[in-house]
Amino acid sequence: MTPPPARRRRTGANGSAPAHNLPRRGTVRRAQAITTYGVGSLVAVDHESFIVSGLDEADRSWSVQEAPPIHERRLELLLDVDHFRLPPASDDGSKDGLRVRRFPLMHSCPECGELQKHQDFAPPPGRSVCGTCEVDLVPSRFVVACEAGHLDEFPYWQWVHRSTDPASRSAGKCGGKLRMRTSGRTSSLRSIIVSCTCGKVPEASMEGAFRRRALKDLGLTCRGSRPWLGSSVPAEACGRLLRTLQRGSSSVWQPVMKSALSIPPWSSIRVDPLAGHWEKLRKYDDRARIEAYLDAVFDEPWPLSLEEVMTLLDAEREEEAEGEAAPSFDHRYRALRNKEYERLRSGNDESEHSREEEFVCESPIGDRTVLEPLGVTGPMLVKKLREVRALKAFTRLVDAESTTDPKEMQLSERPLRWLPAMEVRGEGVFLRLDEDRLRTWEKQAGVVDRGERIRGAHQRVLDQRADDPTRAVSSPATPRLVLLHTLAHVLINEWSLEAGYPAASLRERLYAGDDMAGVLVYTATSDSAGSLGGLVAQGEPERLDETIRSAVRRAEWCSADPLCLEAETSGADGTNLAACHACVMLPETSCEHNNILLDRALLIGTPDDPEVGFFGSALTP
């Protein structure tokens, strides 16, 4: 990230210094504060490194003007919060931004080689330089983390003194100082040398520091450190296995995000004024009491009519009634997706759309029967949509979806009634696959075999990542999901070539289940490119027919063939079959499943078994 230009000192209303005059470092976009640099993540700014602070002080430090509240009732119910807030912008024109803390604290000086905490170098205020050599300090390349989400400094002192008596391994007990240098012979860990001036131990390289049990062999376990919450917050009791990580590794921070589309009857912005009143309104059963409550709270005219309020309450109760007596989080999230699928399938052609409506989904004008030979049905033009993506928590080392007891680390020490979120407004194209043809295709032996191979590989990964393999979640991989997922990828690639959209600006949303077989491809950026009508125009049946045929034909050949098409396994941990970066993989931001569970053979077939391809008939002359 590039630091902003020099800023003049801000002053208060009467010309005095503001209450908080913290130094500024770099810039982060709002979307990045959810997806990349959220709470607990590490941010590199030039030669400095910081960790994004928790949300405990955000109510005070985030101004309402720069971090306004936003609402999405269905997602609020799912995550049990009252509202969401946009993260504050941190550009040069903002009054405040995300709060960060320096981490890791261990730094080294490339000139004198000393390795110690940042403050021990006695740097001048506001600078990160060695007080003696006056050269930029280098933050530690290595940190340690555990699967519970804790993060800590790499124990250099114990690493160097590992050959001594355990009682003398405590930092500072030997009376020496640590030093770090590189031999320059190779770029491997073997060339990074750490030594101590005490002379009691030989110098040690960093080779072997990334072994799974490297730190456990030294008698070190997790102390429960949470540096993003500040030094005043006590560490949690943990004791889990510590793993060494590169400071910039993606395993250091992985967001747990949940999203929802704004769909009727919640998609009108006129609903927002009632955001803080739904819990009370739900307690009333009769119209008279609800009318009396609205009269007491709002002046005439009310934001919504009494009939509209009753419709919203009925919709909320209906969605809850469809679940179990005590539905799990995953069950409720699937129910949320089911409602979206129903609305995308039915659309709202009959509604009189106004500027207040955030969801406009209409049937195309053209003849939809042209898509029947492809097994595609029900295309819908989503001319206007709004998606809210909320940062629920984060994990380290493990994927939150890999276990029934995910190690999700919360964003604050004390429970909050809100979460940071971003909203995306754009457009999209929704299509479904013909259910009868899909069921027939799913029963083929070749299809079942390929689906089972992907599911088995994915299940092994989930079992390995779970604390208790007997409690690992079941893989969602089915031939239907893999087919829809791969179809979404080839469509995004095709539209990036034919319609001028960068692949990273499009996103998939999959609806795969026993009674669902749909794909929504929509604009995933919050700028003007998301609402210019270019993507909706691709959804007209005649053009969509050409797009699907072209995309499937393009998927017939990969520059890595025949190795790609004939691969027994591919991708991360073997969770793909015929899929690679040369054919169907997308930028991570466009994919719901991190580029796994893909197989283009289920689209086009294989030379030995063409019938495996759902769209194999589209390739025949």
Side-chain angles (χ1 to χ4, degrees), residues 278-291:
W278 291 113
E279 292 301 324
K280 294 181 179 178
L281 288 169
R282 290 177 61 179
K283 299 177 181 178
Y284 302 135
D285 296 327
D286 59 282
R287 297 167 63 94
R289 298 185 67 183
I290 293 177
E291 186 174 7

Side-chain angles (χ1 to χ4, degrees), residues 250-261:
S250 60
S251 296
V252 171
W253 188 83
Q254 299 180 47
V256 179
M257 297 181 61
K258 299 298 177 184
S259 65
L261 301 181

Side-chain angles (χ1 to χ4, degrees), residues 99 224 241 252 255 258 268 296-297 335 376 385 388 392 396 478 503 509 518 525-526 536 603:
R99 298 293 175 89
L241 181 71
V252 171
K258 299 298 177 184
S268 173
V297 174
V376 175
L385 64 80
V388 175
K392 177 177 179 282
R396 306 194 196 276
T478 62
R509 197 168 180 87
T525 57
S526 54
V536 165
L603 292 178

Side-chain angles (χ1 to χ4, degrees), residues 67 85 106 200 214 422 440 506 557 597:
R85 293 188 68 179
M106 293 296 291
K200 299 178 182 178
M422 60 177 290
T440 302
L506 300 177
W557 175 251
L597 311 182

Side-chain angles (χ1 to χ4, degrees), residues 115 156-179 194-202:
L115 174 64
Y156 288 103
W157 202 283
Q158 290 85 345
W159 184 254
V160 173
H161 293 78
R162 54 188 164 178
S163 62
T164 62
D165 182 74
S168 62
R169 290 179 185 172
S170 300
K173 288 292 181 67
C174 68
K177 289 187 176 182
L178 294 178
R179 295 185 179 276
V194 182
S195 60
C196 182
T197 60
C198 69
K200 299 178 182 178
V201 292

Side-chain angles (χ1 to χ4, degrees), residues 348-368:
N348 56 353
D349 296 80
E350 72 286 350
S351 302
E352 293 185 4
H353 305 307
S354 63
R355 292 185 178 181
E356 289 83 11
E357 179 59 53
E358 299 279 8
F359 181 85
V360 178
C361 181
E362 299 177 348
S363 302
I365 300 175
D367 181 12
R368 289 184 282 184

Side-chain angles (χ1 to χ4, degrees), residues 305-352:
S305 67
L306 180 59
E307 290 299 328
E308 290 174 313
V309 173
M310 297 301 297
T311 300
L312 289 166
L313 290 172
D314 291 341
E316 187 172 305
R317 292 175 182 133
E318 177 188 355
E319 190 162 341
E320 291 179 348
E322 291 183 353
E324 305 167 355
S328 65
F329 181 88
D330 290 338
H331 180 90
R332 291 186 290 127
Y333 193 49
R334 286 196 299 270
L336 181 145
R337 287 293 188 101
N338 289 342
K339 284 295 183 182
E340 292 178 2
Y341 180 76
E342 293 174 8
R343 177 53 66 175
L344 287 167
R345 183 173 179 172
S346 60
N348 56 353
D349 296 80
E350 72 286 350
S351 302
E352 293 185 4

